Amino acid sequence: MNKFLPTLAVAWMLPAAAFAQSTVSIYGAIDAGLRYQTNVDAAGNGQLTMGSGNSFSNRLGFRGEEDLGNGLKARFRLESGFSSKSGALDNTNNVLFNRTASVGLGGKWGYIDLGRQYTIGFRTELFLDPYDHHYTGIVPLSSGAGTTLPAAARTAGLGASSSSGTRFNNDIQYTGTFGPWTLRAEHAPGENAEDRSRGTAQALGVLYAGGPVLAGGAYTYKQTTAGLGNRAWIVGGGYKAKDLTVKAGVSRERQETAGGAGIYQNRTVFGGASYQVNGPVALTAAVYRSDYDGLVDGGSRTLYLLGGVYAFSKRSNIYAELDLNRYSGALVPSKQTSQRGVSLGLMHTF
């Protein structure tokens, strides 16, 4: 009896969570290879580079989930990006968990997650993109609605590439899955004491994956820190038939400028198909067309991309791709109206 009482007292003092079921796992991916591209400068020279995450962005992550009972669960995710060329963090701000840092609660009704997260616009693009957001350094959907924009547009607030953005800080995001439907909503406060609307972002999204049919859409509204509005949307769909998957969509962004001078606009139309040739071999082909309208200029970019993967296992594969870019107007880089590229690499996930 004397031994039982101290044991019971210690158990009573422990938090209830100590008895909950919990799991924590480490995951990631490392991708390295070679890439050659023509016409990288005004003289038309080509360039061979050591690629880091050419096909799939390098990452190291930690995720966990705990069963709190009565259908309630807690979860977290921490994810960092890095360069396989040097091992350094893959961002200029030296942020450790630059990809994701979030914690949330959920149940049958869905999840609410808080922190730095992938945006609803990005998640919708991932669902609709024929390449499932591989080759993000090439495909113009990797950061929202657009493509690489001229310096004047970036100064006006569009950013280096676009739209709804890949991730939001301070993000409060709801995700609920009900049968074939996934519903999402988010709000990211701008933390501006003088004007609470500045720097904020809100979005709504819906996905449908029922049988062979795929469909999805998202709408995002955000304000720059200067209070200029940015509206972006994406919508699309697809069809899956055995080893063949076809996807297509369109996205558009409109950015206000200071003093009511006008609006920058960017639209991307895309479509493609992937085919599982046999067990280890898969091929994907897609086209992306971006049209940019500025205050005094405009331009276009058309990307043709053909890629293949040979899977040694579920975790390791080699990949290769061929791409052709055609440019016009304000989007012409280095005075060259076309560029050709080829990539070859090895990827391992864990």
Side-chain angles (χ1 to χ4, degrees):
M1 184 67 177
N2 291 337
K3 293 181 179 180
F4 175 74
L5 288 177
T7 302
L8 181 62
V10 171
W12 179 79
M13 289 186 292
L14 289 173
F19 299 97
Q21 297 290 329
S22 62
T23 60
V24 176
S25 60
I26 300 174
Y27 68 95
I30 182 166
D31 177 326
L34 296 174
R35 174 163 173 77
Y36 180 79
Q37 189 173 30
T38 65
N39 293 335
V40 297
D41 57 21
N45 294 311
Q47 184 179 35
L48 178 66
T49 58
M50 175 75 180
S52 173
N54 276 342
S55 172
F56 193 63
S57 300
N58 297 317
R59 64 199 67 192
L60 174 64
F62 307 87
R63 59 189 168 204
E65 185 177 81
E66 184 177 28
D67 189 341
L68 303 177
N70 297 319
L72 186 66
K73 295 182 178 181
R75 67 181 183 182
F76 79 91
R77 177 169 292 199
L78 297 169
E79 187 175 293
S80 178
F82 63 92
S83 169
S84 54
K85 297 200 299 184
S86 65
L89 295 177
D90 67 348
N91 63 91
T92 57
N93 296 324
N94 202 35
V95 177
L96 178 57
F97 295 112
N98 63 312
R99 298 183 64 87
T100 304
S102 67
V103 63
L105 285 174
K108 293 182 179 180
W109 45 269
Y111 270 89
I112 295 179
D113 297 287
L114 300 89
R116 177 171 172 80
Q117 304 178 68
Y118 289 97
T119 65
I120 290 176
F122 180 89
R123 296 179 192 275
T124 305
E125 287 175 350
L126 172 63
F127 181 76
L128 297 173
D129 182 9
Y131 273 95
D132 298 323
H133 269 329
H134 285 64
Y135 301 110
T136 55
I138 303 173
V139 173
L141 287 175
S142 59
S143 298
T147 185
T148 302
L149 301 178
R154 297 197 295 270
T155 303
L158 279 178
S161 54
S162 60
S163 107
S164 56
T166 302
R167 303 169 186 85
F168 287 150
N169 291 329
N170 317 316
D171 197 22
I172 305 166
Q173 190 171 136
Y174 166 78
T175 304
T177 300
F178 309 96
W181 297 93
T182 298
L183 309 178
R184 290 191 173 100
E186 71 184 334
H187 173 73
E191 299 185 340
N192 189 310
E194 297 180 2
D195 187 343
R196 287 181 295 178
S197 64
R198 293 193 174 193
T200 63
Q202 301 87 33
L204 294 171
V206 59
L207 303 179
Y208 177 83
V213 178
L214 307 173
Y219 174 80
T220 302
Y221 175 77
K222 67 179 182 179
Q223 283 198 18
T224 67
T225 55
L228 302 175
N230 180 290
R231 293 171 172 82
W233 56 262
I234 181 170
V235 64
Y239 189 83
K240 298 182 68 174
K242 293 185 179 180
D243 296 325
L244 178 66
T245 301
V246 180
K247 295 181 181 180
V250 59
S251 61
R252 188 165 185 173
E253 174 189 19
R254 294 167 58 88
Q255 171 69 53
E256 297 176 353
T257 57
I263 295 176
Y264 286 94
Q265 301 183 67
N266 199 51
R267 183 186 66 176
T268 300
V269 179
F270 59 93
S274 59
Y275 182 69
Q276 193 73 36
V277 179
N278 56 38
V281 179
L283 297 175
T284 303
V287 179
Y288 303 83
R289 165 77 180 199
S290 298
D291 291 287
Y292 158 74
D293 292 321
L295 301 183
V296 296
D297 59 4
S300 67
R301 173 195 177 193
T302 303
L303 166 66
Y304 304 91
L305 182 60
L306 174 63
V309 174
Y310 182 89
F312 295 108
S313 67
K314 291 183 178 180
R315 296 182 179 274
S316 300
N317 68 62
I318 56 173
Y319 62 86
E321 66 81 25
L322 299 171
D323 59 89
L324 170 63
N325 278 287
R326 297 193 182 279
Y327 305 95
S328 70
L331 297 187
V332 173
S334 304
K335 298 183 179 180
Q336 301 293 334
T337 58
S338 68
Q339 290 179 316
R340 290 176 173 81
V342 57
S343 303
L344 177 66
L346 171 65
M347 183 184 73
H348 177 77
T349 61
F350 57 90

